[in-house]
Amino acid sequence: MDLNYTDQDLAFREEVKTWLEANLPADLQHKVLNHLRLNKEEFVRWHKILAKKGWVAPAWPVEWGGTGWNATQRHIFEEECAAAGTPMIMAFGVSMVAPVLMKYGSEEQKRYYLPRIYDCTDWWCQGYSEPGSGSDLASLKTRAEREGDFYVVNGQKTWTTLAQFADMMFCLVRTETTERRQEGISFLLIDMKTPGITVRPILTLDEDHEVNEVFLENVKVPIANRIGEEGKGWTYAKYLLGHERTGIAAVGRSKRELGFLKRIAGAQSKNGRPLLEDALFAAKLASLEIELMALEMTVLRVVSAEGAQKGPGPEASLLKIKGTEIQQALTELMLEAIGPYGMPFEREYLEGRTPHALDDDAAPIAAYYFNFRKTSIYGGSNEIQKNIISQMILGL
Ligand SMILES: Cc1cc2nc3c(=O)[nH]c(=O)nc-3n(C[C@H](O)[C@H](O)[C@H](O)COP(=O)(O)OP(=O)(O)OC[C@H]3O[C@@H](n4cnc5c(N)ncnc54)[C@H](O)[C@@H]3O)c2cc1C
């Protein structure tokens, strides 16, 4: 296994960098680099720019719009996007439901949904978790009963990220009560405009509206919107989760944030000297940087071992744990570095209504710190990932 980049890889990196410099809108870059919140229009705008270039779904098969890049090129692309400060491409459509559609969807479903995911005609959300059914997802209770050509769905989903923007939700429902709880679950695609759906916000620690409760009351979903076989949804759901966890490692973004942390720590002073020169702080920073380098090497090993079309295995759990621990440690050190300057909480500033009025690194950091507590919970909590590692990798 050779972890060095080839000359072709380096030329590819240059091509991506040059294109991003010319095409990433300055207002979006400013918001991302300064930890400001983006709205729906801003996410969609960037999605469409990448789609037009043909780079929005690099991992997809070429026939559906994939780039045909190898795993190393995809990794380089993600790194360069993170370094430049591009908005995230929402995973729910491109990286989560799309792979499921490609593997288990009917030809008709693929032909209808994949192009709409590619150009962001539809914004997707994920309807897995329910009150009392998070880690123990197989205990989910939302029911779907057949009535002619429809399922009638009743129940409640929770923590549904950005459901307030969503046109479509991929949703796990119980179509049968069986002894083995993983059986009898089906995977439905639900149009969020269907009568009977109510989306209610849950405000998080940083006062953000990122997650929601979704209530489903006699929601009629065409049977044609079911993926694969009735009662086999658990298989499709698990396949999707592996894709969710790999993306959460976000090494490129952590490298960018490490640079940001060094910058603010260099500007803050402690006892008349830059914080960066304080032995205790410098040791914490160095230890975090080493962890991040080790994670990057691990990601490269996984990437180089992974065939172009092979889905991620249990190593996705490893990357998820380490990646999120590093992200949280970074936000902790940021908060430590800015100290009391993190106190101001200006909603208008965070929402970017005055994007260039305040050039203050510190203002969004407390909110950013609070927001990042979520990373060890979503995508399956880190404790659950440890259970997966002990069973699937260590064989315990
Ligand atoms: C910001 C955010 C966004 C989210 N977005 C979505 C979304 O878009 N769609 C969606 O469907 N879900 C979403 N989730 C839900 C997320 O997947 C769940 O929160 C997660 O799976 C944990 O479930 P829970 O909250 O019910 O906690 P619980 O399962 O009740 O767990 C509580 C605690 O017990 C621990 N625990 C539970 N079981 C075990 C075990 N067997 N072994 C060891 N420890 C255990 C957990 O690690 C955790 O610390 C989101 C969550 C957050 C925080």
Side-chain angles (χ1 to χ4, degrees):
M1 178 176 36
D2 183 1
L3 296 183
N4 290 313
Y5 290 113
T6 63
D7 287 346
Q8 287 99 310
D9 292 338
L10 296 175
F12 175 74
R13 188 184 284 281
E14 215 36 53
E15 181 194 343
V16 173
K17 205 185 228 165
T18 310
W19 185 83
L20 288 171
E21 274 164 17
N23 291 281
L24 172 60
D27 61 327
L28 301 186
Q29 185 183 43
H30 174 85
K31 277 194 157 186
V32 174
L33 294 182
N34 292 286
H35 310 100
L36 300 172
R37 289 173 186 153
L38 278 79
N39 59 37
K40 180 176 181 178
E41 179 277 323
E42 289 163 334
F43 281 116
V44 173
R45 178 150 47 105
W46 177 240
H47 187 120
K48 286 188 181 294
I49 292 172
L50 270 189
K52 194 162 164 227
K53 173 69 178 165
W55 285 358
V56 87
W60 286 18
V62 173
E63 57 171 314
W64 291 109
T67 51
W69 295 338
N70 61 32
T72 310
Q73 288 174 312
R74 296 203 304 270
H75 175 75
I76 290 173
F77 176 69
E78 279 164 27
E79 266 207 339
E80 286 307 318
C81 285
T86 65
M88 275 166 57
I89 293 300
M90 283 296 143
F92 303 111
V94 169
S95 320
M96 289 165 74
V97 74
V100 174
L101 276 160
M102 285 177 205
K103 192 164 163 73
Y104 300 106
S106 67
E107 275 313 305
E108 209 180 335
Q109 288 170 336
K110 289 183 210 177
R111 273 201 305 275
Y112 181 75
Y113 289 112
L114 291 175
R116 296 170 68 90
I117 293 172
Y118 194 89
D119 68 7
C120 206
T121 304
D122 297 325
W123 181 295
W124 285 79
C125 66
Q126 177 185 24
Y128 275 24
S129 306
E130 297 181 6
S133 303
S135 304
D136 185 17
L137 189 57
S139 68
L140 64 91
K141 295 185 182 57
T142 294
R143 286 204 71 83
E145 275 158 11
R146 276 178 98 134
E147 239 177 53
D149 292 338
F150 291 87
Y151 286 109
V152 178
V153 181
N154 279 287
Q156 184 195 338
K157 296 291 168 181
T158 193
W159 306 119
T160 324
T161 300
L162 300 180
Q164 73 270 32
F165 296 160
D167 304 292
M168 294 292 300
M169 170 165 70
F170 54 88
C171 190
L172 294 181
V173 295
R174 187 159 289 290
T175 37
E176 201 188 341
T177 307
T178 47
E179 206 167 304
R180 212 178 149 260
R181 294 177 315 162
Q182 285 79 359
E183 287 161 11
I185 291 174
S186 298
F187 193 110
L188 298 185
L189 311 179
I190 302 183
D191 185 335
M192 292 296 280
K193 285 186 285 300
T194 318
I197 299 182
T198 309
V199 177
R200 222 160 58 189
I202 301 173
L203 290 190
T204 43
L205 279 173
D206 54 336
E207 280 191 27
D208 200 3
H209 176 194
E210 195 175 275
V211 283
N212 300 274
E213 297 177 290
V214 178
F215 298 88
L216 301 117
E217 205 180 331
N218 294 323
V219 176
K220 285 179 83 177
V221 181
I223 286 178
N225 281 25
R226 190 189 66 222
I227 296 275
E229 288 178 55
E230 184 174 281
K232 296 276 184 273
W234 190 250
T235 307
Y236 318 142
K238 277 198 310 186
Y239 178 74
L240 181 146
L241 283 176
H243 286 265
E244 180 179 9
R245 281 165 200 153
T246 324
I248 293 175
V251 171
R253 186 180 59 200
S254 288
K255 282 169 80 175
R256 183 185 78 220
E257 297 298 16
L258 186 72
F260 177 87
L261 172 60
K262 285 181 181 172
R263 185 157 65 77
I264 51 173
Q268 296 293 340
S269 65
K270 187 175 173 189
N271 303 328
R273 294 175 59 195
L275 182 59
L276 211 46
E277 291 174 20
D278 176 75
L280 201 55
F281 190 86
K284 287 190 219 170
L285 192 68
S287 145
L288 189 56
E289 187 158 6
I290 291 165
E291 292 277 307
L292 183 55
M293 283 169 72
L295 177 66
E296 187 177 16
M297 288 303 129
T298 312
V299 169
L300 284 172
R301 275 196 298 146
V302 172
V303 161
S304 84
E306 200 181 277
Q309 298 306 323
K310 187 176 152 279
E315 61 273 17
S317 297
L318 250 152
L319 301 181
K320 198 255 162 176
I321 295 177
K322 209 64 210 171
T324 54
E325 283 177 356
I326 289 173
Q327 289 157 28
Q328 293 189 335
L330 273 166
T331 59
E332 281 154 27
L333 283 189
M334 281 180 197
L335 202 59
E336 187 177 332
I338 57 161
Y341 298 106
M343 290 299 282
F345 188 90
E346 293 188 48
R347 172 162 287 283
E348 290 206 342
Y349 180 57
L350 291 176
E351 286 169 358
R353 282 187 216 139
T354 52
H356 295 279
L358 274 171
D359 194 14
D360 181 0
D361 286 332
I365 292 303
Y368 193 58
Y369 164 85
F370 282 127
N371 189 277
F372 266 66
R373 300 309 97 197
K374 70 189 176 189
T375 61
S376 48
I377 303 171
Y378 68 16
S381 76
N382 286 12
E383 289 78 16
I384 294 298
Q385 303 313 314
K386 286 179 188 166
N387 290 351
I388 294 173
I389 291 167
S390 74
Q391 285 161 17
M392 309 285 286
I393 301 182
L394 303 176
L396 299 174

